[in-house]
Amino acid sequence: NAGVTQTPKFQVLKTGQSMTLQCAQDMNHEYMSWYRQDPGMGLRLIHYSVGAGITDQGEVPNGYNVSRSTTEDFPLRLLSAAPSQTSVYFCASSYSVGNQPQHFGDGTRLSIL
Amino acid sequence: DAKTTQPNSMESNEEEPVHLPCNHSTISGTDYIHWYRQLPSQGPEYVIHGLTSNVNNRMASLAIAEDRKSSTLILHRATLRDAAVYYCILRDEWRETSGSRLTFGEGTQLTVNP
């Protein structure tokens, strides 16, 4: 099993550019989520999904879109990159919310110039 | 939403036990208590979780108060590698259209002294 795979690992963007951060899991997990972590801070939830076709906003959703067309994939789209979105992004998945452990990817380090 | 309260930081000496507290006074009857940790420059990793009874695994033990309003993560013999931020989290309130979610607080920064 590969677990939770995030690509790319590093990315530098210019202000105003758009891009998609990829997240894939091969564990047939229903629950997937995206967090961002700014330097010296805790994790903040951006968006989450409890299954294919179902997504909802987390704590800091502005500037990001998600979709969940398959169980395996949960891409995060930055619509128009801003320097405030410079952060490390983590994707996580689990069988269900609250009673199963979450598995995290290695993160994507994103810099917006 | 159920929230947790943890101390910002704690210190321990190597090879001594560490007790990391967490308060969750608004916990619901079906909420599991989860602990994760984040080593420097790494993603979070699962440590342990439990509902009512105390739990043990190879990494740690979780002691849950009888009223479930608090819990303690126990590292039996701290090593330098255990220096990390430890997060105690609960599931957020259920939403009819989209289920529930997991949000992290600021956690406890554990320093282990040689």
Side-chain angles (χ1 to χ4, degrees), chain A residues 35 37 48 56-57 98 102, chain B residues 32 34 36 38 98 101-102:
Chain A
Y35 297 89
Q37 186 172 35
Y48 69 100
D56 204 348
Q57 298 179 348
Q102 285 204 99
Chain B
Y32 280 74
H34 291 252
Y36 289 80
Q38 188 173 22
S98 59
R101 60 192 195 180
L102 288 175

Side-chain angles (χ1 to χ4, degrees), chain A:
Chain A
N1 281 351
V4 178
T5 303
Q6 291 185 236
T7 56
K9 295 190 184 305
F10 302 94
Q11 185 70 49
V12 178
L13 291 178
K14 294 181 179 178
T15 297
Q17 287 185 314
S18 62
M19 81 160 293
T20 299
L21 307 186
Q22 301 291 345
C23 176
Q25 51 89 11
D26 60 357
M27 297 171 282
N28 202 31
H29 286 169
E30 290 294 330
Y31 181 79
M32 295 186 74
S33 55
W34 277 102
Y35 297 89
R36 62 175 285 176
Q37 186 172 35
D38 299 337
M41 307 292 286
L43 285 88
R44 292 184 292 171
L45 182 67
I46 305 172
H47 284 285
Y48 69 100
S49 169
V50 297
I54 305 170
T55 64
D56 204 348
Q57 298 179 348
E59 302 167 286
V60 288
N62 291 341
Y64 308 94
N65 274 355
V66 292
S67 60
R68 185 93 180 271
S69 57
T70 67
T71 299
E72 295 78 18
D73 300 296
F74 191 43
L76 177 72
R77 282 182 287 277
L78 277 71
L79 309 173
S80 177
S84 61
Q85 294 178 302
T86 294
S87 191
V88 181
Y89 292 83
F90 291 102
C91 178
S93 74
S94 61
Y95 281 113
S96 62
V97 181
N99 63 353
Q100 295 292 330
Q102 285 204 99
H103 300 253
F104 282 83
D106 291 334
T108 294
R109 283 152 181 77
L110 183 63
S111 292
I112 316 295
L113 304 179

